[in-house]
Amino acid sequence: GVMERLGLGPEVLLQENPRLIYARLTGFGQTGKYAKSAGHDINYLALSGVLSKLGRKNENPYPPVNLLADFAGGGVMCALGIVIALFERARSGKGQVIDASMVEGVAYLSSFLWKSQNLGLWSQPRGENLLDSGAPFYETYRTSDGKFMAVGAIEPKFYNQLIKGLGLNLDELPAQMSFSNWPEMKKKFASIFAQKTQAEWCSIFDSTDACVTPVLSFEDAASHQHNKERSSFIKNDPGEISPRPAPVLSRTPAVPSCKRDPFIGEHTEEILLEYGFTKQEIAKLHSDKAIEIKDLKASL
C-alpha cells in the first residue's frame, strides 16, 4: 500500500499508460492474512513448506542463508514475471500487474519436491533421504587440511568411480541403495576422506566422473582453473571480485561494468536535471529529504 499512499498505485499509473508493466514484489503477496505483515526470507521459506525439508537428521530446520525466498523465489521469479509480461504485451499491446509473492515463488521453485513425494525420494524423515544428507554418496566430507569435498555420485556408474577413487572394493561393500547401511557407510567415507588433503583428493577425482568436487571458498572459486577458463568471475576497478552475469547469451552477452558501485545519491542531481527538474526544485526536494544527494567535490 506504500505506492497507493503516494498516489502511484497501479490503477493510477495504468490509466496513464495502459502498456505499463507494474511489478509488485513482496514477501506474502498482495492479499491474504499475512499480506501486510513484516517478514524475512526465513519466514517466507517456512510458510511455503520448503523450510521443513532443509536440515540434517535430528536437527532443527535451517535456511541456506537468504538465497531461496529472497533472491530465487522473489527476485528471479519477479524478473521472470516481467519477461513473461513483456512477451505477452508484444501480442496484446497491454500491460498488467505482477503479484510476486516470495512465499509462492519459492513454493513454485520447489515443485520438484511436491511432485516427487510419491517416488520414494522423501519417504524418510528430514536428513535421511537421498538428497538431504541421508545418503553417503550425496554428502560433504572434511579433508585432512580442514577443507571439504562435495560428493554427488548418485548413478551407479558414478558411484563405482567414487568407490574406486576411495580405494575401496565394490564387492566388499553393501549395495549402494541399502538404506540401513547408509549411516555406517558415511562413517567409512568420512574416515577415508579425512586421510588426504583437498588438493590430493582433487588430483584423484578431477579426471573422473565420480561427481566429486572441492568445496571452494569465494577466493578459491574465483581462482579455480575451470572458472578462470570461462571468465566466470570478474574484477572491478577497486579490485572487488564478483560473479559474471549469467546465463551467457551467444549474440548479446552481458557487458558488465568494471567501475565501482555508485554511492547513494551520487547521480541524483545529474539524472533529475536530465529529466527537466530545475536546480531550485532539486534543492527543495533535498531540503524536504525526499532525495539524497552526495557531494563528491573536495572542500577546499
Side-chain angles (χ1 to χ4, degrees):
V2 174
M3 296 301 285
E4 280 79 2
R5 291 198 295 274
L6 295 172
L8 298 172
E11 293 81 8
V12 174
L13 297 186
L14 282 167
Q15 282 185 351
E16 294 287 329
N17 179 7
R19 289 176 55 83
L20 185 69
I21 293 167
Y22 195 111
R24 313 201 79 167
L25 175 57
T26 58
F28 297 110
Q30 295 299 309
T31 58
K33 178 180 179 179
Y34 290 172
K36 297 185 183 300
S37 300
H40 278 294
D41 180 283
I42 193 172
N43 307 117
Y44 313 139
L45 204 57
L47 204 64
S48 73
V50 176
L51 185 57
S52 69
K53 298 291 186 181
L54 306 178
R56 290 186 176 276
K57 179 181 178 180
N58 298 326
E59 292 186 9
N60 295 350
Y62 60 81
V65 290
N66 67 324
L67 292 176
L68 278 184
D70 279 352
F71 297 110
V76 173
M77 286 297 187
C78 184
L80 178 61
I82 293 172
V83 170
I84 293 170
L86 285 168
F87 181 78
E88 193 280 335
R89 188 177 71 181
R91 298 183 173 189
S92 68
K94 298 179 181 179
Q96 55 187 309
V97 180
I98 298 166
D99 181 359
S101 155
M102 294 184 192
V103 173
E104 293 167 359
V106 73
Y108 185 58
L109 194 69
S110 71
S111 294
F112 164 68
L113 301 182
W114 293 83
K115 298 288 187 179
S116 63
Q117 289 183 90
N118 296 326
L119 298 181
L121 293 175
W122 315 107
S123 57
Q124 302 299 316
R126 182 179 64 251
E128 297 182 35
N129 299 281
L130 182 68
L131 302 178
D132 64 359
S133 80
F137 48 85
Y138 204 88
E139 177 62 285
T140 57
Y141 294 99
R142 183 184 293 270
T143 58
S144 64
D145 53 347
K147 298 181 179 182
F148 295 89
M149 298 298 290
V151 177
I154 299 175
E155 292 81 357
K157 61 181 180 180
F158 301 150
Y159 181 73
N160 293 350
Q161 293 194 46
L162 166 66
I163 296 304
K164 181 180 178 181
L166 291 176
L168 297 172
N169 188 333
L170 192 65
D171 296 332
E172 298 175 358
L173 299 175
Q176 180 185 356
M177 300 304 293
S178 176
F179 296 98
S180 61
N181 293 113
W182 279 4
E184 193 60 37
M185 289 298 293
K186 286 180 72 170
K187 292 179 182 178
K188 181 183 288 289
F189 287 5
S191 67
I192 295 174
F193 272 107
Q195 295 171 17
K196 289 182 172 64
T197 66
Q198 185 186 74
E200 289 173 325
W201 285 119
C202 286
S203 67
I204 291 172
F205 286 113
D206 271 1
S207 59
T208 74
D209 280 335
C211 301
V212 179
T213 51
V215 177
L216 301 177
S217 66
F218 276 15
E219 183 180 357
D220 290 339
S223 61
H224 190 275
Q225 181 182 353
H226 174 81
N227 294 331
K228 288 178 69 175
E229 289 174 357
R230 287 185 51 82
S231 301
S232 300
F233 294 86
I234 56 177
K235 183 181 292 187
N236 65 8
D237 292 341
E240 299 166 331
I241 298 174
S242 61
R244 179 186 64 179
V248 180
L249 304 184
S250 64
R251 186 171 53 80
T252 58
V255 181
S257 171
C258 289
K259 296 180 180 179
R260 63 163 174 78
D261 292 340
F263 299 115
I264 294 176
E266 181 176 348
H267 303 111
T268 302
E269 185 174 10
E270 174 187 338
I271 292 170
L272 292 179
L273 286 171
E274 183 180 327
Y275 273 84
F277 286 78
T278 66
K279 290 204 171 188
Q280 292 74 20
E281 289 172 326
I282 295 172
K284 180 68 165 59
L285 288 170
H286 187 232
S287 65
D288 290 343
K289 297 184 178 180
I291 60 173
E292 283 197 46
I293 296 178
K294 185 173 183 65
D295 186 4
L296 299 180
K297 298 174 184 176
S299 301
L300 300 176

